[in-house]
Amino acid sequence: MRDAVQIPPPIALLAELTHRCPLACPYCSNPVDLTARQTELDTATWLDVFRQAVEMGVLQVHISGGEPASRRDLVDLVKGAREAGLYVNLITSGVGLTDARLAALDAAGVDHIQLSVQGVTAQMADWIGGYKGGFKRKMAVADKIAETGIPLTLNAVMHRHNLGDLPATIDLAKRLGARRLEVACVQFQGWALKNRGALQPTREQVDMAKKVVAQARADNRGTLVIDFVPPDYYSDFPKACMGGWGSTGLNVTPDGRVLPCHAAETIPSLSFQSVTEVPLADIWYKGAAFAAYRGTDWMAEECQTCDRRDVDFGGCRCQAMAVVGDAAATDPVCRKSPHRHLVDATLKAEAQGAERGTEQRPGDKDFTYRSFPEQV
Amino acid sequence: MTRTRIPVLPRGVRLHFDKVRGKNVLLAPERALFLDDIGHAILSEVDGQRSVAQIARHLAAVYNAPEDAIAGDITEFIDDLADKRVIGFTDA
C-alpha cells in the first residue's frame, strides 16, 4: 500500500462515450479495432464512473468519442457529470449537434466545447473527414456555439495537406470567436499510422508553421491562446506523453476498459480492466497496466541517466511500440535514442512522397479512411 | 493600465475547492490551475464590479499590507491569467 500513497490522484478523465462518428478522418485517434454500439456502456454506468472519478480527485472530464453527439443520452451525461462536480469539456465534430441539442447542453451546464476542424474550406474539410456537407454544418454549429456564449476551442488537426493553411486556420479561429486554438499536428498512432505516408508534413512546412505560430501568438496576445503540438518526428526530444504514464489522466473506452492513454491498446503486453468489473480507484492505484510505465524504474539506461528524465518521461510508450517494437524503449524520436535512425529513414522515404503530394488533392485515394469492420 | 480595469471570470472559468487534495483550484478550458492562498484570495475578490485598484485597497486593509505593493502583485497575477484567457475584463 506504500505505492498507493505515492501515486497522485488523476486530474482528468477522457470519456470516450462511443466510437460511432459521421466523419471518417484518416488520422482518427480511436483504435483501429472500433467498438460496436451494442457493447457501449449504458447511461447509469457512465454516471457511476463520473461519481467515482470525482471521489478519486478527477477535476475535469473530456467527453469525447467518436462523436459524443451520436449518444442519445449525451445531455443526461453532461448534466450528470456537472452534478457529480466535474468541469465538463465536450469534444465534438459539431456534425450532428442540432440547435435544440446545443441549447439543451447549454442548460445542462457544459463548461466548454472543443470543436474539431479538418480544414478551412469545404473542399479540404469534407475530403479529410470523408463526409460531404460536414464543413458547412460545422460552421453553422460554430456560430450557434458563439451565440450561447459557451467558451470555444478550435482543434485543428494539421498534416501535409493543410499545414499551409495555418494562417487561414488562425483567422477562422478569430472569426468564430474562439478563446483557444489547438494546432494539433497528427501524431502517428492507430489510423494515422496507417496513413502516415500520406499525412507526414515536410520539414519546410514544419519550420514555416513554427514561425507562423510564434508571430500569431504575439499578434493575438490576450485574445487568442494558441497551443501548438508539433509533428514530433521532426523534434529533437519526445513529447511528454500524458505528462508521465499513469500520473495525471485516464481514459475510459466506450465499453468500459480503462486505459492510461487512448492508444495504450496498441501495446500487446498490457491487459486492461473494466469499470464494469473493478472500481476505478483500484484500476488507477493497483492496475498492472497503469503500473507498467509509471515512474522511472522501467526506463532504459539512456533515460534513467538523462537530465530530461523528469521532463519528458521517456516520451511516448505507444510510439516506442509502433516504431521500435518495444514499448519500454526510449521514444525513437529522441536524439539520444539508439533507434532514432528508424524515424529518420521514415522521414526520408515519406519526404519523397511528399514532394509529389504537398498540393491539395481532394478526390485522391491515398487514405485509408476510418471505418468499422464489415460485420458490425 | 490594468489597475483601472475591472477583471471578471469569464464563462467557463470557475473557482473550485478540491476536497480530495484540500486545495483551491481554478477550472478553465483545458486547464486546472492549483492556487496558493494569495491567488485564491485575489480571485475570490474578482466580481466583475470592482477594479484591480479597488481589490488591492481591500486586500491591503484585510492583510494590513502596503497597498502599492499589493496592487503590483495583483496586476502581475491578473495580467498573466488574462494572457491565458482565463480572466477577462468588463471593458473587453
Side-chain angles (χ1 to χ4, degrees):
Chain A
M1 286 313 291
R2 202 172 128 255
D3 280 353
V5 177
Q6 292 172 338
I7 297 164
I11 289 170
L13 168 71
L14 177 65
E16 292 183 338
L17 300 186
T18 178
H19 283 160
R20 289 175 287 139
C21 182
L23 303 187
C25 305
Y27 47 68
C28 182
S29 63
N30 287 161
V32 174
D33 293 319
L34 295 172
T35 297
R37 176 182 195 154
Q38 50 270 35
T39 60
E40 290 176 8
L41 297 180
D42 62 18
T43 312
T45 307
W46 274 117
L47 292 176
D48 182 54
V49 168
F50 296 154
R51 285 188 290 265
Q52 289 188 57
V54 169
E55 282 171 21
M56 290 171 70
V58 169
L59 297 170
Q60 300 203 337
V61 63
H62 306 291
I63 294 189
S64 183
E67 171 50 60
S70 301
R71 288 276 303 213
R72 289 186 182 180
D73 55 358
L74 176 62
V75 172
D76 292 336
L77 292 174
V78 166
K79 189 162 181 280
R82 265 308 294 266
E83 285 171 359
L86 291 164
Y87 185 98
V88 180
N89 173 27
L90 179 68
I91 301 176
T92 177
S93 72
V95 181
L97 210 54
T98 61
D99 292 356
R101 204 93 182 285
L102 191 61
L105 287 166
D106 190 10
V110 66
D111 283 293
H112 168 240
I113 293 180
Q114 187 189 111
L115 183 72
S116 66
V117 288
Q118 288 72 35
V120 292
T121 64
Q123 187 185 42
M124 172 63 67
D126 292 356
W127 171 47
I128 298 295
Y131 185 85
K132 204 164 187 301
F135 181 75
K136 194 178 169 192
R137 180 70 207 132
K138 187 189 298 283
M139 289 301 105
V141 168
D143 286 338
K144 284 288 173 190
I145 294 170
E147 276 178 32
T148 64
I150 301 168
L152 174 69
T153 289
L154 218 56
N155 181 287
V157 184
M158 310 296 281
H159 43 77
R160 184 196 303 163
H161 301 282
N162 65 5
L163 203 46
D165 293 335
L166 183 53
T169 306
I170 293 163
D171 288 343
L172 177 67
K174 289 158 72 174
R175 196 164 74 241
L176 295 175
R179 271 186 220 173
R180 298 178 65 255
L181 170 66
E182 288 185 7
V183 178
C185 294
V186 169
Q187 304 293 304
F188 295 109
Q189 310 289 349
W191 292 97
L193 192 58
K194 278 182 183 286
N195 291 294
R196 188 176 62 189
L199 294 169
Q200 189 77 262
T202 65
R203 184 174 293 279
E204 291 70 28
Q205 285 182 310
V206 176
D207 291 344
M208 181 56 71
K210 286 179 181 169
K211 284 181 196 157
V212 169
V213 166
Q215 186 63 47
R217 277 179 178 156
D219 292 347
N220 298 287
R221 196 174 158 195
T223 54
L224 180 68
V225 176
I226 303 176
D227 280 357
F228 182 54
V229 182
D232 67 350
Y233 279 39
Y234 287 100
S235 299
D236 291 335
F237 298 111
K239 57 185 176 252
C241 206
M242 301 302 292
W245 186 274
S247 70
T248 57
L250 42 73
N251 176 18
V252 178
T253 68
D255 58 4
R257 278 165 300 147
V258 185
L259 315 178
C261 86
H262 68 267
E265 289 169 301
T266 61
I267 300 174
S269 59
L270 300 180
S271 58
F272 303 99
Q273 295 168 295
S274 172
V275 293
T276 59
E277 291 163 356
V278 184
L280 198 60
D282 284 356
I283 298 175
W284 174 259
Y285 288 108
K286 299 176 190 167
F290 280 84
Y293 304 110
R294 192 180 256 143
T296 56
D297 288 351
W298 58 272
M299 286 180 178
E301 177 66 18
E302 66 263 23
C303 289
Q304 294 271 10
T305 56
C306 181
D307 58 6
R308 292 179 59 86
R309 183 188 72 179
D310 302 320
V311 176
D312 51 37
F313 314 104
C316 172
R317 299 303 86 230
C318 303
Q319 187 146 275
M321 186 71 229
V323 176
V324 182
D326 174 9
T330 297
D331 188 327
V333 157
C334 185
R335 295 288 158 186
K336 296 180 176 179
S337 161
H339 303 288
R340 171 70 210 189
H341 65 94
L342 297 172
V343 172
D344 289 331
T346 298
L347 281 178
K348 196 178 171 193
E350 289 171 353
Q352 288 170 355
E355 281 171 22
R356 299 190 306 272
T358 42
E359 75 276 25
Q360 300 169 2
R361 298 184 300 175
D364 220 335
K365 302 293 183 206
D366 274 354
F367 294 145
T368 302
Y369 283 102
R370 176 201 124 111
S371 63
F372 281 91
E374 295 291 335
Q375 289 169 350
V376 171
Chain B
M1 276 294 285
T2 300
R3 293 192 189 193
T4 58
R5 299 181 82 182
I6 298 172
V8 62
L9 292 183
R11 179 159 177 193
V13 180
R14 47 195 172 87
L15 282 169
H16 175 80
F17 181 70
D18 174 356
K19 289 181 203 150
V20 172
R21 297 172 186 80
K23 288 180 182 172
N24 286 292
V25 57
L26 188 66
L27 298 176
E30 316 282 348
R31 280 179 186 277
L33 301 168
F34 289 99
L35 300 168
D36 58 18
D37 290 345
I38 296 168
H40 181 249
I42 295 169
L43 290 177
S44 298
E45 300 298 329
V46 168
D47 57 5
Q49 304 288 325
R50 289 173 296 159
S51 69
V52 170
Q54 286 170 312
I55 291 171
R57 197 171 308 139
H58 172 73
L59 289 177
V62 170
Y63 291 96
N64 194 23
E67 186 177 324
D68 202 52
I70 292 250
D73 289 348
I74 296 179
T75 301
E76 193 181 331
F77 180 70
I78 285 183
D79 278 343
D80 178 55
L81 294 181
D83 279 351
K84 295 180 172 119
R85 288 227 59 190
V86 298
I87 220 165
F89 298 101
T90 55
D91 59 356

mmCIF file of all heavy atoms in Angstrom, chain B residues 40-55:
data_model
loop_
_atom_site.group_PDB
_atom_site.id
_atom_site.type_symbol
_atom_site.label_atom_id
_atom_site.label_comp_id
_atom_site.label_asym_id
_atom_site.label_seq_id
_atom_site.Cartn_x
_atom_site.Cartn_y
_atom_site.Cartn_z
ATOM 1 N N HIS B 40 -5.837 32.525 -4.396
ATOM 2 C CA HIS B 40 -7.247 32.296 -4.092
ATOM 3 C C HIS B 40 -7.891 33.548 -3.502
ATOM 4 O O HIS B 40 -9.028 33.896 -3.840
ATOM 5 C CB HIS B 40 -7.394 31.109 -3.139
ATOM 6 C CG HIS B 40 -8.820 30.803 -2.810
ATOM 7 N ND1 HIS B 40 -9.354 31.003 -1.559
ATOM 8 C CD2 HIS B 40 -9.834 30.365 -3.593
ATOM 9 C CE1 HIS B 40 -10.645 30.673 -1.588
ATOM 10 N NE2 HIS B 40 -10.954 30.275 -2.800
ATOM 11 N N ALA B 41 -7.152 34.239 -2.646
ATOM 12 C CA ALA B 41 -7.693 35.464 -2.036
ATOM 13 C C ALA B 41 -7.996 36.508 -3.113
ATOM 14 O O ALA B 41 -9.039 37.170 -3.081
ATOM 15 C CB ALA B 41 -6.694 36.023 -1.017
ATOM 16 N N ILE B 42 -7.102 36.625 -4.089
ATOM 17 C CA ILE B 42 -7.316 37.611 -5.158
ATOM 18 C C ILE B 42 -8.536 37.230 -5.994
ATOM 19 O O ILE B 42 -9.453 38.031 -6.211
ATOM 20 C CB ILE B 42 -6.063 37.726 -6.065
ATOM 21 C CG1 ILE B 42 -4.874 38.290 -5.274
ATOM 22 C CG2 ILE B 42 -6.367 38.617 -7.278
ATOM 23 C CD1 ILE B 42 -3.539 38.179 -6.006
ATOM 24 N N LEU B 43 -8.551 35.985 -6.447
ATOM 25 C CA LEU B 43 -9.633 35.575 -7.356
ATOM 26 C C LEU B 43 -10.993 35.570 -6.657
ATOM 27 O O LEU B 43 -12.026 35.781 -7.306
ATOM 28 C CB LEU B 43 -9.323 34.202 -7.960
ATOM 29 C CG LEU B 43 -8.169 34.205 -8.969
ATOM 30 C CD1 LEU B 43 -7.878 32.797 -9.452
ATOM 31 C CD2 LEU B 43 -8.469 35.112 -10.162
ATOM 32 N N SER B 44 -10.985 35.369 -5.353
ATOM 33 C CA SER B 44 -12.248 35.412 -4.616
ATOM 34 C C SER B 44 -12.862 36.810 -4.617
ATOM 35 O O SER B 44 -14.055 36.978 -4.404
ATOM 36 C CB SER B 44 -12.039 34.953 -3.166
ATOM 37 O OG SER B 44 -11.598 33.624 -3.146
ATOM 38 N N GLU B 45 -12.012 37.822 -4.835
ATOM 39 C CA GLU B 45 -12.500 39.207 -4.863
ATOM 40 C C GLU B 45 -12.929 39.655 -6.263
ATOM 41 O O GLU B 45 -13.533 40.715 -6.423
ATOM 42 C CB GLU B 45 -11.414 40.161 -4.346
ATOM 43 C CG GLU B 45 -10.969 39.894 -2.913
ATOM 44 C CD GLU B 45 -12.102 40.053 -1.903
ATOM 45 O OE1 GLU B 45 -13.011 40.892 -2.132
ATOM 46 O OE2 GLU B 45 -12.101 39.329 -0.888
ATOM 47 N N VAL B 46 -12.550 38.871 -7.267
ATOM 48 C CA VAL B 46 -12.891 39.250 -8.650
ATOM 49 C C VAL B 46 -14.389 39.030 -8.858
ATOM 50 O O VAL B 46 -14.878 37.904 -8.817
ATOM 51 C CB VAL B 46 -12.066 38.425 -9.673
ATOM 52 C CG1 VAL B 46 -12.607 38.586 -11.084
ATOM 53 C CG2 VAL B 46 -10.597 38.828 -9.619
ATOM 54 N N ASP B 47 -15.110 40.132 -9.027
ATOM 55 C CA ASP B 47 -16.575 40.029 -9.078
ATOM 56 C C ASP B 47 -17.183 40.739 -10.292
ATOM 57 O O ASP B 47 -18.408 40.835 -10.416
ATOM 58 C CB ASP B 47 -17.186 40.588 -7.789
ATOM 59 C CG ASP B 47 -16.770 42.040 -7.536
ATOM 60 O OD1 ASP B 47 -16.095 42.630 -8.406
ATOM 61 O OD2 ASP B 47 -17.109 42.577 -6.471
ATOM 62 N N GLY B 48 -16.322 41.257 -11.173
ATOM 63 C CA GLY B 48 -16.869 41.959 -12.335
ATOM 64 C C GLY B 48 -17.455 43.317 -11.974
ATOM 65 O O GLY B 48 -18.109 43.957 -12.802
ATOM 66 N N GLN B 49 -17.228 43.777 -10.730
ATOM 67 C CA GLN B 49 -17.759 45.058 -10.271
ATOM 68 C C GLN B 49 -16.631 46.027 -9.894
ATOM 69 O O GLN B 49 -16.704 47.214 -10.156
ATOM 70 C CB GLN B 49 -18.636 44.855 -9.015
ATOM 71 C CG GLN B 49 -19.775 43.866 -9.183
ATOM 72 C CD GLN B 49 -20.891 44.413 -10.052
ATOM 73 O OE1 GLN B 49 -21.186 45.600 -10.031
ATOM 74 N NE2 GLN B 49 -21.504 43.536 -10.851
ATOM 75 N N ARG B 50 -15.583 45.460 -9.263
ATOM 76 C CA ARG B 50 -14.531 46.320 -8.731
ATOM 77 C C ARG B 50 -13.259 46.242 -9.573
ATOM 78 O O ARG B 50 -12.925 45.176 -10.114
ATOM 79 C CB ARG B 50 -14.214 45.914 -7.285
ATOM 80 C CG ARG B 50 -15.339 46.290 -6.306
ATOM 81 C CD ARG B 50 -15.061 45.734 -4.937
ATOM 82 N NE ARG B 50 -15.071 44.274 -4.971
ATOM 83 C CZ ARG B 50 -14.492 43.504 -4.062
ATOM 84 N NH1 ARG B 50 -13.835 44.054 -3.056
ATOM 85 N NH2 ARG B 50 -14.555 42.198 -4.157
ATOM 86 N N SER B 51 -12.563 47.368 -9.649
ATOM 87 C CA SER B 51 -11.314 47.427 -10.416
ATOM 88 C C SER B 51 -10.188 46.740 -9.643
ATOM 89 O O SER B 51 -10.315 46.467 -8.442
ATOM 90 C CB SER B 51 -10.934 48.884 -10.684
ATOM 91 O OG SER B 51 -10.560 49.502 -9.459
ATOM 92 N N VAL B 52 -9.090 46.522 -10.339
ATOM 93 C CA VAL B 52 -7.899 45.940 -9.712
ATOM 94 C C VAL B 52 -7.449 46.824 -8.545
ATOM 95 O O VAL B 52 -7.116 46.329 -7.468
ATOM 96 C CB VAL B 52 -6.773 45.776 -10.759
ATOM 97 C CG1 VAL B 52 -5.452 45.418 -10.089
ATOM 98 C CG2 VAL B 52 -7.161 44.718 -11.794
ATOM 99 N N ALA B 53 -7.487 48.130 -8.738
ATOM 100 C CA ALA B 53 -7.062 49.061 -7.675
ATOM 101 C C ALA B 53 -7.971 48.948 -6.451
ATOM 102 O O ALA B 53 -7.501 48.958 -5.307
ATOM 103 C CB ALA B 53 -7.070 50.494 -8.212
ATOM 104 N N GLN B 54 -9.262 48.800 -6.704
ATOM 105 C CA GLN B 54 -10.200 48.669 -5.579
ATOM 106 C C GLN B 54 -9.987 47.359 -4.821
ATOM 107 O O GLN B 54 -10.058 47.311 -3.596
ATOM 108 C CB GLN B 54 -11.640 48.756 -6.088
ATOM 109 C CG GLN B 54 -12.047 50.180 -6.480
ATOM 110 C CD GLN B 54 -13.384 50.211 -7.201
ATOM 111 O OE1 GLN B 54 -13.622 49.439 -8.136
ATOM 112 N NE2 GLN B 54 -14.272 51.093 -6.775
ATOM 113 N N ILE B 55 -9.723 46.297 -5.575
ATOM 114 C CA ILE B 55 -9.454 44.999 -4.949
ATOM 115 C C ILE B 55 -8.171 45.080 -4.128
ATOM 116 O O ILE B 55 -8.092 44.577 -3.005
ATOM 117 C CB ILE B 55 -9.369 43.884 -6.016
ATOM 118 C CG1 ILE B 55 -10.758 43.642 -6.637
ATOM 119 C CG2 ILE B 55 -8.817 42.597 -5.412
ATOM 120 C CD1 ILE B 55 -10.760 42.729 -7.844
#
